[in-house]
Amino acid sequence: MGMYDVIVIGGGPAGLMAAASAGMHGARVLLLDKGDKLGRKLAISGGGRCNVTNNKDIDELIRNIPGNGRFLYSVFAEFDNRDLARFFEDMGVRLKEEDNGRMFPVSDSAKSVVNALVRNVRAAGTEIRTHTPVERVIYENGRVWGVQVRGGEKIRARAVVVATGGKSVPHTGSTGDGYVWAEEAGHTITELFPTEVPLTSKEPFIRNRSLQGLSLRDVTLTVLHPVKSKKLVTHRGDALFTHFGLSGPAALRCSQFVVKALRQTGAPDVPVVIDFFPDESANALEEKWWSHARNHPKRTLRNTLKELLPDRLVETVLGKAGVDGDTTGSRLSREGLRSIVKEVKQFTVRISGTLPLEKAFVTGGGVHVKEIDPRTMQSKRMPGLFFCGEVIDVHGYTGGYNITAASCTGYVAGKHAALLSKAP
Ligand SMILES: Cc1cc2nc3c(=O)[nH]c(=O)nc-3n(C[C@H](O)[C@H](O)[C@H](O)COP(=O)(O)OP(=O)(O)OC[C@H]3O[C@@H](n4cnc5c(N)ncnc54)[C@H](O)[C@@H]3O)c2cc1C
């Protein structure tokens, strides 16, 4: 078998890009994955359509990567989302842009993306071994020696790229193996946590499932500090009541703030406030609904609200506001209306946690970014060791940002691993 220039561990977007890039830069590459197939998470990403990247400019891209996005400035200077889009097009994967800059394959098929990437890696002459779990990375005399795979076989390489992903959705192969090897090389692993993950709640209206399945279009969700009640973050978008709490894009975006607030304060829950009418002030809404009630003196508040809110929400809002739904327009008090308006502008859901890390779209935390050279992705602790993808303490919102971060760090890691392996 001999010696390789570069061994890449993990065939997700980060590892596939690293292998392709190392091959393109003249290295003899071996790509190892423990699964039966490469790109298993990629194949289920974006609801099976694979939101491969996002077309926003770099500053906006980085703003959407709240977990250490700024670490990626030098990576993006070398290979960014536009380069990635071109890379896909050159492989024959035509892309289209949807809302918020999200880029998808025209085929709407994540599998077509995986197949093209694998074909491309093979075409560069890379040897691929699936069903081959790496057990450890071998370090000798203060640098990388190679890897040991299941069964004890040791394989030598001048550079090893760790692209093992995070710890979410472990049946796709991402079981967090890379963290251990990083620690053995002297790296710090920042605390892991689930992010881009649905929120759970013990509120009665969640427990009794009265709102289950209700989807909300274009609302805002604000996470409040559980002790100081100050605003931690607001996200606007769609959301969904589920049988356990809240999901949908806006809830996923809020999730990391919920997780951090719960961990930092030890509070039992965190208030998340929904504004069903983010474009209208409470005063404007009150005036509008007041004249509406006055113009329909005989109509009950319940029936009026049914015209203004999703049906399913009406009883919960009335109950929370403590106002009788049978009150007619002529009898409605300003005070009663104000309580209703408060509920639709500040509908509070006490969030007690999230689904577990295994069910999260993304793993927060990972290999400390300060210990990786941002220009090359080489370890600052162990020469010849490189990291890319979700194993690093970098995480983005949903919207194509995570695959972009994984692929671009993969490209840079692969290139510099190849260059290192060729250096005299
Ligand atoms: C359901 C779902 C949908 C998503 N949709 C999107 C989306 O549309 N857009 C987006 O940007 N992001 C999306 N994400 C996030 C994105 O998929 C991940 O951030 C990305 O796949 C991370 O890439 P990676 O290469 O670092 O790791 P992974 O894709 O997790 O790949 C890691 C690979 O390493 C292999 N491996 C692990 N340990 C070993 C070992 N010991 N030996 C050998 N091989 C090993 C695994 O088998 C696996 O193939 C989604 C995530 C999920 C769960």
Side-chain angles (χ1 to χ4, degrees):
M1 155 163 322
M3 169 151 165
Y4 292 89
D5 294 326
V6 177
I7 290 176
V8 178
I9 313 172
L16 285 163
M17 280 301 283
S21 155
M24 278 155 52
H25 290 90
R28 185 165 175 236
V29 186
L30 173 65
L31 171 62
L32 301 171
D33 199 289
K34 66 176 169 185
D36 56 344
K37 290 200 264 300
L38 302 175
R40 283 180 293 165
K41 189 173 278 182
L42 201 55
I44 57 164
S45 68
R49 295 200 304 132
C50 191
N51 180 192
V52 275
T53 190
N54 194 294
N55 201 22
K56 298 217 169 89
D57 63 25
I58 297 296
D59 286 333
E60 212 26 52
L61 212 58
I62 287 184
R63 260 196 291 283
N64 279 283
I65 305 180
N68 292 317
R70 290 153 61 104
F71 171 72
L72 301 178
Y73 268 115
S74 9
V75 166
F76 289 151
E78 179 145 11
F79 192 85
D80 65 12
N81 51 337
R82 308 270 156 79
D83 295 315
L84 183 59
R86 213 167 302 124
F87 184 87
F88 278 115
E89 298 269 351
D90 288 346
M91 285 191 311
V93 179
R94 290 188 43 231
L95 300 179
K96 58 175 172 178
E97 186 173 335
E98 296 193 358
D99 58 320
N100 296 313
R102 296 183 308 149
M103 304 288 287
F104 289 86
V106 169
S107 64
D108 279 330
S109 153
K111 291 224 170 68
S112 72
V113 173
V114 175
N115 291 343
L117 276 168
V118 174
R119 255 196 327 271
N120 188 59
V121 168
R122 278 194 211 286
T126 294
E127 205 177 309
I128 298 175
R129 282 167 68 177
T130 50
H131 293 294
T132 310
V134 171
E135 281 180 340
R136 68 186 179 111
V137 178
I138 305 170
Y139 309 115
E140 206 175 272
N141 301 324
R143 60 161 295 116
V144 155
W145 182 94
V147 304
Q148 180 179 314
V149 300
R150 189 170 61 194
E153 182 191 354
K154 292 179 179 154
I155 312 172
R156 221 171 157 184
R158 287 179 213 276
V160 169
V161 180
V162 176
T164 46
K167 253 189 148 170
S168 317
V169 195
H171 73 83
T172 62
S174 327
T175 48
D177 302 5
Y179 303 125
V180 181
W181 312 327
E183 271 178 337
E184 284 165 359
H187 281 276
T188 315
I189 307 300
T190 59
E191 196 178 358
L192 304 182
F193 61 92
T195 176
E196 305 310 299
V197 63
L199 310 173
T200 57
S201 171
K202 297 183 185 130
E203 292 275 16
F205 52 87
I206 297 293
R207 283 196 162 166
N208 69 19
R209 301 190 172 202
S210 54
L211 300 180
Q212 181 182 347
L214 175 65
S215 56
L216 307 169
R217 307 274 314 159
D218 197 24
V219 294
T220 61
L221 266 61
T222 299
V223 183
L224 298 183
H225 190 282
V227 183
K228 298 177 194 152
S229 292
K230 70 170 195 261
K231 194 166 102 175
L232 294 175
V233 77
T234 297
H235 281 297
R236 185 165 179 164
D238 299 343
L240 172 76
F241 283 103
T242 67
H243 62 283
F244 53 75
L246 283 172
S247 190
L252 297 181
R253 283 181 162 238
C254 288
S255 60
Q256 63 182 294
F257 299 91
V258 167
V259 171
K260 284 182 193 154
L262 286 171
R263 286 196 180 182
Q264 279 161 11
T265 62
D269 49 37
V270 175
V272 169
V273 179
I274 306 176
D275 184 346
F276 296 108
F277 296 93
D279 289 328
E280 292 182 84
S281 71
N283 280 344
L285 214 54
E286 189 183 316
E287 285 318 312
K288 201 160 99 185
W289 289 8
W290 182 251
S291 46
H292 190 91
R294 282 286 168 266
N295 290 337
H296 301 90
K298 292 196 177 140
R299 192 174 298 169
T300 63
L301 180 58
R302 175 174 292 106
N303 285 341
T304 299
L305 286 180
K306 280 185 179 171
E307 287 171 22
L308 305 164
L309 293 172
D311 260 22
R312 310 260 308 276
L313 205 54
V314 172
E315 292 307 324
T316 310
V317 165
L318 284 168
K320 272 175 136 256
V323 181
D324 183 355
D326 292 330
T327 314
T328 55
S330 59
R331 291 181 164 262
L332 181 64
S333 68
R334 271 280 180 183
E335 203 187 12
L337 179 59
R338 210 161 287 147
S339 316
I340 297 283
V341 168
K342 180 170 175 289
E343 284 310 323
V344 301
K345 290 289 292 173
Q346 298 175 43
F347 186 95
T348 302
V349 186
R350 300 202 72 87
I351 297 296
S352 39
T354 67
L355 293 185
L357 184 53
E358 293 70 36
K359 297 237 165 87
F361 284 90
V362 182
T363 303
V367 181
H368 203 306
V369 291
K370 289 243 161 66
E371 299 164 358
I372 299 171
D373 182 340
R375 289 157 307 172
T376 62
M377 305 309 287
Q378 186 172 198
S379 160
K380 290 182 183 171
R381 296 279 182 271
M382 184 64 68
L385 183 66
F386 292 76
F387 295 101
C388 53
E390 210 176 299
V391 70
I392 303 173
D393 182 8
V394 167
H395 59 91
Y397 292 129
T398 56
Y401 304 104
N402 289 294
I403 292 177
T404 303
S407 308
C408 296
T409 54
Y411 178 90
V412 170
K415 173 179 170 183
H416 289 279
L419 297 183
L420 178 91
S421 73
K422 294 291 176 195

